[in-house]
Amino acid sequence: MVEDETSAGTLLGGRLAYRQLRAGHRSGFEPVLMAAFCPARPGARVLELGTGAGAALLCLRARLGGITGIGVERHPALAGLAQANFTGNGFHDLAGLQADATRLPFASQTFQHVMANPPWFAPDGTHSPDSTRALAHHATAELLAGWIGEALRLLRDQGSLTLALPAASFAQAASLLRPACGGITLLPLWPRAGEAAKLILLRARKASRGPDVILPGLALHDEAGITAAAQAVLRDGAALDAT
């Protein structure tokens, strides 16, 4: 990875150094919020599918400490950048792996928690000429099923799967999680209070018989900018109902 190809920034209000590609896919709010919604505890082994430059695992590790994690990324430049970000922050218990998220070299029931923010633009939409952006954004017809299927194979019983998805994918994701999972919890992410959610966070427990829950949700913006509740997560590293 050539340093001139990346830009230097931070996460969690400056607590984490974070480099990402200057061109192509750029991290948004989703990985930080997804990490805040993951119910992992110290000592857990965590897998992230589609880690990009590693933002979600970095934020989870900063909040908890004491976890081990692997971030899987199909694009080799991003996988290398994720590893550099993990090492640069002193998180030697995190590792980046260049691999296809639907065919991973791990035994079944290896991880206690899995996170994923799959590509979600329609496969027949206009593709970016940049390969990293195209991989990060555009879903093939069966991609969500492949990611969820592999996540469930690798997840231990009673382990959690946390997803960041467009709201329109909620029903498809829920149907793919059944019957392996119960206790599906939905957290809507509203652009502003009173507006329809465009994105959701979804969490499920493998082999659980717990009830499904719809949480009150999180408004991201108000007339002053980012809401105080969103800032508590994005800047201060607070958890989002991660019980």
Side-chain angles (χ1 to χ4, degrees):
M1 177 64 61
V2 178
E3 188 166 304
D4 287 349
E5 296 174 353
T6 66
S7 61
T10 63
L11 296 167
L12 300 184
R15 289 167 56 192
L16 297 167
Y18 184 62
R19 298 196 72 92
Q20 55 184 325
L21 297 179
R22 290 185 183 276
H25 175 65
R26 304 279 292 180
S27 298
F29 288 172
E30 297 96 325
V32 184
L33 296 169
M34 180 174 68
F37 201 49
C38 177
R41 296 182 178 180
R45 192 172 189 200
V46 182
L47 174 70
E48 185 191 6
L49 307 181
T51 196
L57 274 177
L58 286 168
C59 291
L60 185 66
R61 173 63 175 78
R63 174 164 65 86
L64 291 175
I67 65 166
T68 58
I70 296 175
V72 172
E73 174 54 51
R74 185 175 176 183
H75 196 283
L78 282 173
L81 187 52
Q83 181 62 66
N85 280 327
F86 300 153
T87 302
N89 283 280
F91 295 161
H92 302 292
D93 37 17
L94 302 181
L97 173 67
Q98 194 265 313
D100 182 341
T102 65
R103 293 188 296 273
L104 292 174
F106 304 120
S108 298
Q109 301 207 39
T110 297
F111 297 91
Q112 291 158 300
H113 303 278
V114 179
M115 302 187 294
N117 178 16
W120 56 270
F121 288 167
D124 56 353
T126 301
H127 283 237
S128 169
D130 184 276
S131 62
T132 60
R133 185 180 293 272
L135 276 176
H137 288 181
H138 283 271
T140 58
E142 302 302 322
L143 182 140
L144 186 59
W147 281 42
I148 288 179
E150 186 69 341
L152 292 176
R153 182 183 75 82
L154 296 173
L155 194 60
R156 296 181 186 176
D157 287 351
Q158 303 304 313
S160 76
L161 172 57
T162 303
L163 301 169
L165 297 168
S169 296
F170 167 60
Q172 181 189 7
S175 68
L176 291 167
L177 290 166
R178 303 295 197 201
C181 293
I184 296 177
T185 300
L186 171 67
L187 192 153
L189 298 173
W190 302 311
R192 294 176 182 271
E195 295 184 3
K198 296 180 180 179
L199 297 171
I200 61 167
L201 297 175
L202 185 151
R203 187 175 64 220
R205 290 276 184 182
K206 183 177 177 181
S208 168
R209 297 183 179 179
D212 297 337
V213 177
I214 298 178
L215 297 174
L218 177 68
L220 299 176
H221 298 92
D222 58 21
E223 62 280 357
I226 299 175
T227 63
Q231 287 280 25
V233 177
L234 298 170
R235 181 190 61 209
D236 302 330
L240 275 171
D241 183 60
T243 55

